[in-house]
Amino acid sequence: MKHSLVLALAAACAIPWSAQAQAVKVGIIAPMTGGSADWGVQFRNCIQLYQSQNGDSVAGRKVEVIYRDTGGANPSLAKKHAEELIVNDKVNVLGGFFFSPNAFSVAPVLTQAKIPGVIFVAATPNITQTSPYWVRTGYTSWQSAVPMAQWAYKQGIRRVYIAVQDFAPGHSVQDGFKTAFTRLGGTILGEDRMAMNTTDFAPFVQRIADAKPEAVYMFLSPGPSSIAFLKAIEAAKLKERGVKIMGVAETDDQELASVGPVAKGVYSSLHYAVSLPSEMNQSFVKAVVSRSPKDGPPHAGCVGAYDGMRVIYKMIENGKGTIDEKSVDSVKGLSWQSPRGPVSIDPETRDIVQNVYIRVVEEGRDGKLYNRVIETMPAVKDPWKEAQKK
Amino acid sequence: MDRLLSFLSFVVIDGISYGMVLFLISVGLSVTMGLMRFANLAHGAFAAVGGAVAITLMTSAGLNFLLALVLAFVISALLGLVLEPILYAPLYGGDELDQVLMTIGLIFIVIASLNLIFGSTPLPMQLPDWLSASVDLGIRVAPAYRLFLIAVGALLMVVLWLTLDRTEFGARIRAAVENPQMAQAVGIDTRRLFAVTFMLGCGLAGLGGALGAQMLPIDPVYPFRYLATFLIVVSIAGFGNIKGSAWVALMLGLIETTGRYLVPDIAAFLTYLILIAVLLWRPDGLFAKSR
């Protein structure tokens, strides 16, 4: 009897002590294999970079990161991963998310478990409305599309043809560009939604050429589709006829080696560019490349993960070593200097407020293609949510 | 009138050249699936290897495009030669499900290997200057690459037709397909014949992958991405019919191109509608011999 009492006492004392020493666990849900594996790999590289620069513990607690692979857009698997990470691995916060459908399916899990989720990339504007526990450090599709429309109008472009792939992100970008451009007074000459299984884009490019637009606005998933579309545009000599080609991530820095010279002169709008001249960004790029040269320069996935870790660290710091349901509130309005420029978390929407850069692909002095920033749209809030208010 | 002429010239050039790409990437499958009755779903894997070989030789060794095409054919054919006795031969005349499972497994292995060697992004295909130029045809300026595809495709059609219809090798193959026992009885070495035919099919796949790489970029997932495309051409034509698959590829090219241009919203379904209609009407394919 006496013996067991001692044991019970010891156990009672041991519980809070071990909780103190236990690590804060971060569960990352991302594509680590399959066609989009490079995004998951960038997440991991840049999370590791953040931890190597800022230490692997905060407020006296170690931060442990656990990765779960979704392969591709697989909402039911993403949800299962989220549930298992929370129930079995006892993670305190989730992060990652490249595919919007995966984030949508995880939303109810976050709400039920009262666990914060940090979105690194998934860009459908209304994801953050599906649970009060979401915080976004990536961007929204409208945050890219609307500034592009505004810039085009400012350049004197009035007649645009829109060509997007026929899937949800394409529709969202199409909607954003069209709304902003027609509100300014521009005309959309035609809008094509190109089937995902399209292999030859020549007929679509011919439709564009027939409409004689001043510019084309496109959205295709990076990789084979983007490359085939840009090659069809090149073969039709649209650029030579003075038609401006504008897009989102078709010609982002990590794609340029595969896309090749047909990327030259393509405009795009994103929240990051490897060439951003700030000292912070240049040393960031160097650090990323030297950590893992074969994975290429940092891109949107990397900055999303890097800043995502910053937000998670801040949550732990604000909670004095714990993450709970108040953690999301504690980072509302948080602002910091990121490699992409000054950013903050919009306290109202939990989306990121950031600069959006208009870039154009050019050949650098070293003969390699890169995105040169030609204009900065400062502190852009998600325009989709702004439009919903009106 | 001008508009009509421009439309027609566009449909003819772009439609036929796209049809030629379909022919080039699927003719190898017509050979293996049709002549040898082997459900070789890994066809695209040989095409991807051929494309990757050609692009690598061009970018890192500065090899001439035409020479790279020849080597794409040779190396894919050699890969076929090595794999045929190990993986394919044991399943000849066997259960189709076994053939499907084995070849799907082979696709996974090839995807993982390409990923390991070349990374997950598409390989940078760069046409030589003479092919990226445009040719003025009077009614229309057409990309040289598309005209080149039409020429090579037509040449290949003639060569294959002559080989299978007019040579002794062709006669042996046809005999071995029609009645293997009888063929063996009259002294045809069917085992060796099949090995050579399979090699030819793989070589053609590699050539198609390399030739079409400008339109269908080469990346590790290639064998799966275009699997349905190959199968559609071969199944509409009916097995074992090179001439048939040439017609079907050209027809599909023309229909898809016209469809995407005129009614882009439903164009994506057109091919599948044709496939369903043909298979309901003639389950063995349009050009299959009635048995």
Side-chain angles (χ1 to χ4, degrees):
Chain A
M1 183 66 201
K2 204 175 167 188
H3 209 68
S4 59
L5 194 73
V6 173
L7 267 179
L9 253 172
C13 297
I15 289 162
W17 178 80
S18 72
Q20 202 65 44
Q22 236 175 32
V24 176
K25 288 184 178 172
V26 183
I28 301 293
I29 296 176
M32 307 301 295
T33 58
S36 305
D38 56 322
W39 292 84
V41 169
Q42 284 252 348
F43 287 176
R44 192 179 54 210
N45 291 349
C46 301
I47 288 170
Q48 287 170 352
L49 176 67
Y50 187 85
Q51 291 201 295
S52 77
Q53 289 175 343
N54 298 278
D56 59 359
S57 57
V58 58
R61 289 184 73 183
K62 219 171 140 54
V63 181
E64 190 189 320
V65 186
I66 306 170
Y67 297 89
R68 288 289 180 271
D69 179 20
T70 59
N74 190 339
S76 59
L77 182 62
K79 189 174 183 191
K80 196 177 129 227
H81 281 328
E83 287 164 349
E84 287 180 358
L85 280 166
I86 292 169
V87 175
N88 298 344
D89 298 299
K90 311 257 182 293
V91 300
N92 307 89
V93 52
L94 289 176
F97 305 103
F98 173 69
F99 295 102
S100 293
N102 292 1
F104 278 117
S105 73
V106 168
V109 181
L110 296 182
T111 309
Q112 204 187 352
K114 299 192 167 87
I115 276 188
V118 183
I119 304 166
F120 295 171
V121 171
T124 306
N126 66 336
I127 298 175
T128 41
Q129 297 181 337
T130 56
S131 169
Y133 294 94
W134 283 127
V135 178
R136 171 148 41 200
T137 57
Y139 70 116
T140 75
S141 52
W142 280 48
Q143 232 170 4
S144 165
V146 171
M148 190 85 251
Q150 291 164 340
W151 178 82
Y153 193 84
K154 224 171 89 186
Q155 303 305 303
I157 294 169
R158 295 293 178 270
R159 295 144 52 85
V160 171
Y161 201 101
I162 302 180
V164 298
Q165 263 184 321
D166 196 2
F167 67 146
H171 302 167
S172 173
V173 163
Q174 172 190 13
D175 203 24
F177 188 93
K178 187 184 174 184
T179 307
F181 196 62
T182 50
R183 188 166 289 164
L184 287 168
T187 311
I188 304 296
L189 294 178
E191 300 168 80
D192 283 342
R193 290 181 170 182
M194 305 179 288
M196 293 302 285
N197 66 358
T198 303
T199 37
D200 182 11
F201 289 92
F204 292 111
V205 172
Q206 185 65 36
R207 284 169 64 82
I208 295 170
D210 289 351
K212 300 197 169 49
E214 289 158 8
V216 178
Y217 183 62
M218 65 178 168
F219 182 84
L220 295 98
S221 56
S225 312
S226 293
I227 294 172
F229 185 73
L230 287 169
K231 288 196 167 169
I233 288 209
E234 191 71 14
K237 309 268 174 231
L238 280 188
K239 275 184 259 171
E240 277 91 332
R241 286 192 230 155
V243 181
K244 282 198 164 62
I245 312 297
M246 310 182 295
V248 182
E250 294 78 5
T251 54
D252 205 5
D253 293 291
Q254 75 277 16
E255 310 291 335
L256 287 175
S258 320
V259 180
V262 297
K264 243 186 268 178
V266 174
Y267 296 86
S268 58
S269 62
L270 268 184
H271 53 292
Y272 181 69
V274 175
S275 66
L276 286 176
S278 73
E279 202 177 306
M280 184 179 193
N281 180 54
Q282 286 313 312
S283 62
F284 173 72
V285 172
K286 251 183 235 147
V288 172
V289 174
S290 67
R291 270 188 84 79
S292 179
K294 76 176 172 60
D295 296 322
H299 56 66
C302 183
V303 285
Y306 188 80
D307 286 336
M309 273 319 267
R310 188 189 182 97
V311 168
I312 290 170
Y313 268 46
K314 198 72 194 173
M315 285 179 184
I316 302 170
E317 197 185 308
N318 290 344
K320 302 199 166 44
T322 54
I323 284 195
D324 56 27
E325 51 191 291
K326 285 183 234 103
S327 297
V328 171
D329 287 334
S330 80
V331 294
K332 283 179 183 168
L334 179 69
S335 67
W336 70 97
Q337 200 66 32
S338 156
R340 63 182 118 172
V343 295
S344 66
I345 301 294
D346 185 344
E348 222 176 307
T349 63
R350 290 163 280 114
D351 279 309
I352 192 161
V353 181
Q354 60 192 339
N355 292 349
V356 175
Y357 304 100
I358 309 294
R359 310 108 42 96
V360 62
V361 178
E362 284 179 2
E363 204 172 279
R365 272 190 226 119
D366 56 358
K368 282 188 186 151
L369 298 174
Y370 78 108
N371 276 290
R372 186 168 70 86
V373 173
I374 51 175
E375 190 151 339
T376 303
M377 310 284 194
V380 179
K381 280 187 178 193
D382 175 27
W384 185 80
K385 290 178 192 83
E386 300 290 302
Q388 300 304 304
K389 281 186 206 160
K390 284 168 194 162
Chain B
M1 192 60 209
D2 243 20
R3 185 122 190 194
L4 184 72
L5 201 67
S6 128
F7 165 69
L8 282 178
S9 63
F10 152 73
V11 163
V12 168
I13 293 169
D14 285 28
I16 291 185
S17 57
Y18 177 53
M20 282 298 183
V21 168
L22 292 179
F23 171 71
L24 289 166
I25 59 167
S26 56
V27 63
L29 188 60
S30 288
V31 171
T32 43
M33 203 144 161
L35 296 178
M36 302 168 62
R37 307 257 180 255
F38 195 102
N40 182 23
L41 298 192
H43 173 73
F46 293 95
V49 169
V53 164
I55 294 173
T56 311
L57 287 174
M58 283 160 64
T59 50
S60 54
L63 205 67
N64 176 289
F65 178 61
L66 295 177
L67 214 56
L69 288 181
V70 173
L71 284 174
F73 178 92
V74 171
I75 289 175
S76 309
L78 287 178
L79 184 65
L81 181 72
V82 173
L83 293 180
E84 194 261 354
I86 310 169
L87 298 175
Y88 285 80
L91 297 176
Y92 283 156
D95 189 10
E96 274 155 7
L97 183 63
D98 289 344
Q99 299 177 350
V100 165
L101 286 177
M102 189 282 284
T103 48
I104 290 263
L106 184 58
I107 293 184
F108 281 122
I109 295 174
V110 169
I111 289 180
S113 312
L114 290 175
N115 219 330
L116 197 68
I117 304 170
F118 299 104
S120 62
T121 49
L123 297 174
M125 172 71 179
Q126 202 48 55
L127 286 176
D129 289 341
W130 59 277
L131 274 183
S132 29
S134 304
V135 181
D136 196 347
L137 297 175
I139 39 167
R140 161 186 195 83
V141 179
Y145 173 66
R146 295 219 169 225
L147 300 176
F148 179 71
L149 284 177
I150 296 177
V152 175
L155 183 72
L156 204 64
M157 279 178 190
V158 173
V159 169
L160 281 175
W161 175 71
L162 285 177
T163 311
L164 292 172
D165 260 38
R166 292 283 182 274
T167 64
E168 203 194 311
F169 170 71
R172 279 165 191 265
I173 290 182
R174 278 178 290 134
V177 169
E178 288 297 325
N179 193 334
Q181 270 107 18
M182 188 56 103
Q184 273 171 327
V186 298
I188 296 175
D189 184 351
T190 52
R191 182 68 203 80
R192 224 185 82 202
L193 197 63
F194 272 26
V196 174
T197 313
F198 186 76
M199 229 175 94
L200 176 68
C202 293
L204 288 172
L207 178 67
L211 262 174
Q214 178 77 355
M215 226 186 269
L216 316 176
I218 303 286
D219 71 339
V221 204
Y222 184 97
F224 268 129
R225 185 173 301 113
Y226 303 115
L227 180 58
T229 314
F230 314 137
L231 289 176
I232 287 172
V233 175
V234 175
S235 48
I236 292 185
F239 292 168
N241 197 314
I242 306 283
K243 240 188 288 179
S245 52
W247 283 120
V248 168
L250 290 183
M251 185 188 76
L252 280 182
L254 282 170
I255 293 176
E256 273 198 38
T257 301
T258 318
R260 279 189 197 130
Y261 180 77
L262 294 178
V263 279
D265 292 343
I266 59 159
F269 311 110
L270 266 180
T271 314
Y272 301 102
L273 289 177
I274 296 170
L275 176 71
I276 293 169
V278 167
L279 292 185
L280 283 177
W281 173 42
R282 300 193 59 163
D284 287 332
L286 276 183
F287 296 88
K289 286 185 208 125
S290 44
R291 266 179 260 166

